[in-house]
Structure formats: C-alpha cells, structure tokens
Amino acid sequence: MSRCIWSTWILLSLGLMSCSNGGGGDDFVPGDPNTPAPPAITSVSPAVGPVTGGTRVTVRGSNFIGTVSVALGSGGVSDLEVLSTSILSFTVPAGPLGFAEIVVDSDTGTSITVPPLGFTRLDEVWTSLPPSGLTPLARSFGKMLYDRTRRRMLLFGGEAFDSLTFATTYFGDVWALDLTASTITTSSWILLTPDSGTSGIGSFAEMAVVYDSLRDRFLLTEGYDNCPPFPTPCVLISSAVFALSFSSTSVTDSGTWTRITDTGVDIPPDRITPGSAYDPVNDRLVLFGGFDPIGFVGTNGAGEFNDTWAFNLTGSSSGFWEDLTPVIGTVPFGSADPDTASLTNPSMIFDPIQSRLVIFGGFTDTDPAFGVGEAASDETYSLALSPSTSVWSFFPLGSSTAPSASNAHSGVFDINNQRMIIHGGFSGFGLDPLEETWVLDLSRLDGSWRFAASGPAVENHMMAFDSIFNRTILFGGSTVSAGDTDETWLFTID
C-alpha cells in the first residue's frame, strides 16, 4: 500500500523523492496518465456527532475504489463501506472530544483531510424524545417558555398549515411538558385547561409571550387571534396584554387567564412575530420589530417594523404602553436612515447581568418597495436598557465567526452560563431549514459565537431553556419532508 501523501506530490513531480507501494499496485506519478490517482476527499456529512459514537458518516470525493482502511485521527472506524469510486461511509466510534482528520488509505495513496474538513466529536448533542402519551398536535409559530416554579415547559398556541386544503388552524391551547426528572428519554405532555374567565382571550399564534419573573406568571400580547378563509380579514390580538397566573406549584396547575388593564394613551401598531423579552430590572415587557399583516405598511412601507415598545407594569393588574422609539444608536437591520430599517421574527433574549436585550437574525427589508431588499439577517445587536433611555448598538463580537443568516429560528438564554443559544430557521425563501445550533458567550462585553451542534432541520419552531437541569427543549416547527411536526427534542450542553 502506498504511503505517499498529498504533501509529497510536488517532491515526486520534481524527481526529488520516490515512493513504493510496497505490495501491489502501481506507483502514482503526478502528471502521468498511466498511473492510478490517489483518493481525494471533498465533503464529509455529517461533520459533527456525539463523543459516545454511533454517527454514520458519508464521505464524498474520488478514487475510493481500492480503499484498504479509514482512520479518524489516531483511531479506526467501524462498518466501512466503499459504495462507489466517489462515495464511502463508516460509523464513528466513541472517542475524545474535538476535531479529528479523516485518513483514507488505498492501494494508490493516502488522503488526509485538513481543517475544517474532518469530523468533530461533541458533548453537545440533540436527542429525540418520543411521546409517552398525549402530545400536542403538529404546529409552528407558537411560543414555549420554562416554568421554573413548576418544573415544566409551557407550550402556547401556534398554527398548523394544511398543504392539501391550504387552510390554517390557529390554536388557543396550553400544554405542559413535565421536566421534574433530571434525566428524560421520552416526552410527557399534559394538556392544560386554563380558566379564561372574562379575559376574552381566544387563539394565539405568531405572538409575543414572556415570563414575568417578579410575579411568577406569563404575559401574552400581539400576534394573530384567528384568520378565517380568504378574503375575510384576520383577527389580531393587537395591543391587549393577557396574563396566565397559577395558584400552586403543581406540574398540572392549569392557571387562569386575565386581561391586564392598559392605563395609558399610546399603543403600538398591530403586528405579528415581534422580538420579545421581559425586563425584570425595569418591570416591563419589551417588543422590537415585527410585521404588519393587515396594512402591509410597518415602518418601512413594506410591512416590517423597526420600533421598540415597552409595556410598563404598575402592579399585578395594570400597566401602560410606552414608545421607546426613536432610540439612540444604530437601529438594527437597515440603512443609515432609521425610517427604512426593519426587522421581523428575530430571536431576542434579556441578559440580566448586563441589563441589555440581545437580538440575532430575523427577516429584514431595507426598501419600501414590497419584495425588494428582503433578506435574512446574520447580524447581532444589543439594546442597553435604562428606565429612561434605550441605546441600540452592534454587538461587539470577539471574532468574525457567526451563524448563517437566519429567519424563523429560535433563541434562548442560558442564565447559568450567561450565553445565548440559537437553532434552526432558514436563510431565504425556497431554501431548506437550517440544522445549525450556535452559542453566543455573553459573559464578556465582546462575546463570540461558536458552532455547537447539528440538530433537527426546522423553522418557526418553539424552544425554551430548562435552567435547573441545564438543557434546551424544542418542539414542532416546519420541515421540508413533513411540513409542521409534533416532535420533541432535547439539547444538552456543557
């Protein structure tokens, strides 16, 4: 078997080195058409997997016929199959954390990958959680938040699109995922039946939902209530703010909906898919951006908004809206003219340590002509919050590495390690959903993004972080093959 590798070929071509195959096959001489070429690797998929092994990897390239062995770093692989001259596959064994090059040895030579081409073993992996009983219907565009007091995830509403009838169902249900156990291998969902009382709440999708940590309750506003078949116009939640409160610490407590009295005079324009977060320092719900689904006007004339609003709570049953626009600094996702900047459907979290909002991605439009200038964003912004002033700025990343431009992804805040975790979404209309998971270090002012794992390829899914057991839960969303899904996933991260 030849021991010539790519780095020695130029020496061979200059006649400064020779190589013997030591046991059959012809020596490869660069430029000589009569000698067989060594293998070449062009792609590896998937390129990441758990340290426990078991990932089935497909390697593409050329000249794989005659492959004798494949190594992953200093170790071997199992179940090697040479499927054709351009495709081979193998199973990754358990091994050390980190990157390992792939070495393909054949009768005609050796190919060794160079970073970033290779395979990376990670502790951070996605695991499917099959249902152990009832499960919510397949959906997207809902919201999911962690209820730390009752050790559960709460799934709020959403919508499901029927590709055969082109009808959309809007949900007004609330589900709880039991997370009392430190280790879970299945999803145990509970259908809650909140008392709606006189709140007037209906269905809800593409809305804002935040956890009011000062009062142990959840606040819901904006988004769709319902959309009857065309041409009947959609019904919106508008600026009404609803609270779901509980009377016990039971995982099965369904709670009660109430409507918060708005004592102010200003109200935000109707919208769907805004960025939202709760600011406990100033006791307020904060919204940024979103889309105008009725008039298609927004701030930029094409439907998207770039404004920032706060609903200031003045007690358990009242509050008022406050327009925080214009704000000082660089308004996210647009040109220098703030009237043409816009953003809808970003991920937004509140960082309590730095008292700031952090936004990534979303759908941006910098041109008032509908359909012109539309694109997913790959930018990260922060909004420094104070009771009287809000200042937008580019997030000072510590490196140039960043996630793909993404709209319709989900983001959560890992308060234990002060970092933002995002997953999925899509980079443009007509493109498949992304399967990337990225982590942004927020423990420093100039934090950096890093790629963490590959997971389910979904968009418009629901995701939340379990701060007790340091894990992220994902539900539903839309996929290429199945449309809206009812799958539950678990992501663990060190």
Side-chain angles (χ1 to χ4, degrees):
M1 175 171 49
S2 172
R3 302 308 303 169
C4 297
I5 61 173
W6 292 90
S7 60
T8 66
W9 289 352
I10 188 167
L11 298 177
L12 287 165
S13 65
L14 294 173
L16 300 177
M17 182 177 178
S18 63
C19 184
S20 171
N21 62 20
D26 297 323
D27 293 341
F28 172 66
V29 179
D32 185 348
N34 297 316
T35 60
I41 300 173
T42 58
S43 70
V44 178
S45 179
V48 295
V51 293
T52 52
T55 303
R56 190 69 184 172
V57 172
T58 298
V59 177
R60 298 182 183 274
S62 58
N63 308 315
F64 290 152
I65 298 299
T67 294
V68 176
S69 67
V70 173
L72 193 58
S74 59
V77 300
S78 61
D79 303 321
L80 173 63
E81 288 187 278
V82 180
L83 302 175
S84 70
T85 188
S86 60
I87 302 175
L88 62 82
S89 65
F90 59 83
T91 299
V92 176
L97 280 171
F99 176 85
E101 71 275 7
I102 295 173
V103 182
V104 176
D105 240 336
S106 81
D107 288 338
T108 60
T110 301
S111 179
I112 305 176
T113 59
V114 176
L117 200 59
F119 187 85
T120 301
R121 291 182 176 96
L122 300 171
D123 261 342
E124 302 154 353
V125 294
W126 286 93
T127 305
S128 177
L129 299 176
S132 60
L134 288 176
T135 191
L137 293 175
R139 67 190 67 194
S140 56
F141 284 112
K143 289 292 183 181
M144 190 160 68
L145 288 93
Y146 183 52
D147 181 353
R148 184 181 174 93
T149 302
R150 283 155 281 276
R151 304 283 185 92
R152 61 186 183 177
M153 290 295 178
L154 292 187
L155 173 64
F156 295 85
E159 61 190 60
F161 177 71
D162 188 328
S163 59
L164 297 178
T165 63
F166 297 100
T168 300
T169 300
Y170 293 84
F171 298 104
D173 52 359
V174 180
W175 290 78
L177 177 64
D178 186 350
L179 295 176
T180 53
S182 59
T183 301
I184 52 175
T185 57
T186 61
S187 54
S188 178
W189 287 97
I190 305 164
L191 176 60
L192 303 182
T193 55
D195 180 359
S196 59
T198 59
S199 66
I201 194 167
S203 302
F204 28 85
E206 306 191 40
M207 67 292 190
V209 183
V210 301
Y211 176 60
D212 176 354
S213 57
L214 298 183
R215 300 171 184 84
D216 186 29
R217 64 181 182 176
F218 295 85
L219 304 177
L220 182 152
T221 189
E222 297 291 352
Y224 283 123
D225 179 324
N226 212 328
C227 275
F230 183 83
T232 305
C234 295
V235 179
L236 298 178
I237 298 171
S238 298
S239 60
V241 179
F242 299 92
L244 180 61
S245 305
F246 306 97
S247 59
S248 75
T249 59
S250 169
V251 72
T252 60
D253 190 339
S254 291
T256 301
W257 285 110
T258 56
R259 181 166 178 168
I260 306 298
T261 301
D262 184 355
T263 60
V265 293
D266 293 332
I267 57 172
D270 292 342
R271 67 194 65 204
I272 59 173
T273 63
S276 60
Y278 177 69
D279 171 8
V281 176
N282 300 295
D283 192 16
R284 59 189 180 182
L285 179 162
V286 182
L287 301 180
F288 174 77
F291 184 76
D292 172 6
I294 304 298
F296 302 102
V297 178
T299 341
N300 66 341
E304 287 84 23
F305 290 98
N306 71 350
D307 51 356
T308 306
W309 285 81
F311 188 76
N312 300 283
L313 293 159
T314 55
S316 60
S317 59
S318 63
F320 62 93
W321 284 104
E322 177 186 7
D323 186 358
L324 301 182
T325 312
V327 292
I328 301 170
T330 304
V331 178
F333 312 105
S335 66
D337 181 358
D339 290 335
T340 61
S342 59
L343 184 71
T344 185
N345 212 9
S347 57
M348 187 165 92
I349 60 96
F350 177 74
D351 174 5
I353 309 299
Q354 303 292 343
S355 189
R356 62 184 174 181
L357 298 174
V358 179
I359 280 184
F360 173 78
F363 180 76
T364 180
D365 193 324
T366 57
D367 195 299
F370 187 78
V372 178
E374 297 176 345
S377 171
D378 62 356
E379 295 180 320
T380 308
Y381 282 80
S382 64
L383 175 63
L385 294 172
S386 72
S388 58
T389 306
S390 301
V391 183
W392 280 110
S393 62
F394 281 108
F395 190 89
L397 294 174
S399 73
S400 59
T401 303
S404 303
S406 178
N407 172 43
H409 59 280
S410 288
V412 299
F413 181 58
D414 172 0
I415 192 170
N416 299 329
N417 299 286
Q418 204 177 346
R419 56 193 174 187
M420 182 179 186
I421 304 170
I422 66 166
H423 178 78
F426 66 96
S427 293
F429 291 109
L431 300 179
D432 291 348
L434 299 168
E435 58 181 19
E436 303 173 359
T437 306
W438 288 77
V439 176
L440 176 62
D441 179 9
L442 295 173
S443 63
R444 356 173 345 148
L445 291 176
D446 60 344
S448 298
W449 284 104
R450 68 174 178 86
F451 176 79
S454 291
V458 288
E459 61 190 56
N460 294 312
H461 47 289
M462 290 65 75
M463 200 166 81
F465 183 75
D466 175 351
S467 58
I468 293 179
F469 294 118
N470 217 45
R471 56 195 177 188
T472 299
I473 303 294
L474 181 153
F475 178 80
S478 183
T479 68
V480 171
S481 58
D484 292 326
T485 75
D486 60 357
E487 295 180 347
T488 306
W489 290 81
L490 165 71
F491 178 61
T492 55
I493 182 170
D494 285 341

